[in-house]
Amino acid sequence: MKVKSILVSQPSPTIENSPYFQLKAKRKVKIDFIPFIHVEGLSAREVRQQKIDLSKFSAIILTSRNAVDHFFRVAEEMRFPIPNALKYFCLSEAVAFYLQKYVVYRKRKIYVGGRTFDDLSLQIAKYNEESYLIPCSNVLSPAIPKKLNDLGVKWVQGTFYKTVISDLSSLKNVYYDVLVFFSPSGIESLFSNFPDFKQNDTRIAAYGNSTVKAAKDAGLRIDISAPAPKVSSMSRALDIYIEKVNKK
């Protein structure tokens, strides 16, 4: 079956040259963006209740832009002055670049991984005397604590924000050829909002191993997945799939 409509379970891109907008124009398909999950920040009081004292940490591990936003938000609510000597360990270049929203990049000690936490752990291992804080959501990949424990570094996990399932009742009678997911929480939201969901001819696109696993565990058929060899992005995976099926 040809693909004419796609629902991406994330907010609409803020950049004009997004590959999704390019895909829409190139393949003449409808692409809608509706977040299946959203983030809510915890208050400074709720973070303190976790016995988090920001002054006790010499390094911060930032795994996402949400982590960056909520770390600095909570620090401001706590009236905690961020020390210039604080070290920032960022999962990717995108997260490190995002730090410029809050700090003067060239004046801070910033260390960047590659695409995975294993890549970042190589940097963390060089500074095993630091005291690390991970400001994160209520859902953290179990691989991260395991890797930090294997490294033998001193670290603390702090929940600074939480992932919440969005209300999707407006989609009750809306059909899309492809549903695109980027996290297990997105799959959870689908069935929370539509417990009787039947896949039928709907194609499921999943990004990342954990998302693929969650989809399969929920009984879904995976038609499109990324990343893959020579296909690093979901937009590219969609492009390849559409080119193939729309030719028929």
Side-chain angles (χ1 to χ4, degrees):
M1 291 180 63
K2 292 185 177 181
V3 171
K4 298 180 181 179
S5 61
I6 300 171
L7 175 59
V8 179
S9 60
Q10 284 189 332
S12 179
T14 56
I15 55 174
E16 292 183 5
N17 63 341
S18 164
Y20 287 101
F21 297 150
Q22 295 173 13
L23 176 65
K24 180 179 180 179
K26 177 182 179 181
R27 298 299 178 189
K28 303 296 188 294
V29 294
K30 174 185 177 182
I31 303 180
D32 289 339
F33 299 87
I34 300 178
F36 276 40
I37 56 175
H38 62 277
V39 167
E40 294 180 358
L42 270 65
S43 67
R45 180 181 179 184
E46 289 172 311
V47 174
R48 284 195 187 98
Q49 288 174 345
Q50 300 171 52
K51 298 182 179 179
I52 301 292
D53 180 352
L54 298 184
S55 68
K56 300 297 184 183
F57 302 99
S58 58
I60 304 294
I61 298 174
L62 299 167
T63 57
S64 69
R65 287 180 291 185
N66 278 327
V68 175
D69 282 335
H70 290 283
F71 168 70
F72 284 96
R73 175 188 58 80
V74 169
E76 183 177 2
E77 287 182 18
M78 290 182 172
R79 295 186 174 86
F80 175 73
I82 307 292
N84 292 340
L86 186 68
K87 294 182 175 68
Y88 300 90
F89 290 79
C90 301
L91 182 63
S92 66
E93 288 186 359
V95 174
F97 184 77
Y98 189 70
L99 264 178
Q100 293 183 96
K101 180 177 177 181
Y102 298 96
V103 301
V104 180
Y105 199 90
R106 55 186 168 77
K107 293 185 178 181
R108 296 295 183 267
K109 297 177 180 178
I110 299 171
Y111 309 88
V112 185
R115 292 184 56 86
T116 68
F117 195 79
D118 282 345
D119 296 328
L120 182 59
S121 69
L122 299 176
Q123 296 280 8
I124 294 172
K126 298 176 184 177
Y127 299 89
N128 56 13
E129 299 300 319
E130 304 295 337
S131 180
Y132 290 91
L133 170 67
I134 306 180
C136 59
S137 76
N138 54 322
V139 180
L140 180 66
S141 168
I144 293 178
K146 182 179 185 305
K147 174 58 71 172
L148 292 172
N149 288 335
D150 289 345
L151 291 175
V153 298
K154 182 180 178 182
W155 68 279
V156 171
Q157 175 181 335
T159 302
F160 281 52
Y161 56 100
K162 59 184 177 180
T163 302
V164 180
I165 290 173
S166 301
D167 179 5
L168 303 175
S169 55
S170 61
L171 291 176
K172 190 175 180 75
N173 298 311
V174 180
Y175 174 84
Y176 289 89
D177 295 316
V178 180
L179 301 180
V180 185
F181 296 95
F182 294 87
S183 71
S185 298
I187 303 294
E188 180 185 358
S189 177
L190 172 67
F191 286 98
S192 177
N193 278 280
F194 310 107
D196 298 323
F197 175 79
K198 298 292 187 294
Q199 183 172 356
N200 298 323
D201 294 327
T202 302
R203 270 61 60 87
I204 298 295
Y207 187 89
N209 293 335
S210 61
T211 309
V212 169
K213 182 179 184 304
K216 288 182 176 179
D217 288 347
L220 296 175
R221 180 189 70 252
I222 306 298
D223 300 282
I224 306 161
S225 63
K230 298 182 180 180
V231 185
S232 61
S233 69
M234 176 54 75
S235 58
R236 177 59 180 151
L238 288 166
D239 187 27
I240 293 171
Y241 181 84
I242 293 170
E243 180 181 30
K244 178 181 178 181
V245 299
N246 283 16
K247 275 185 176 180
K248 296 178 180 179

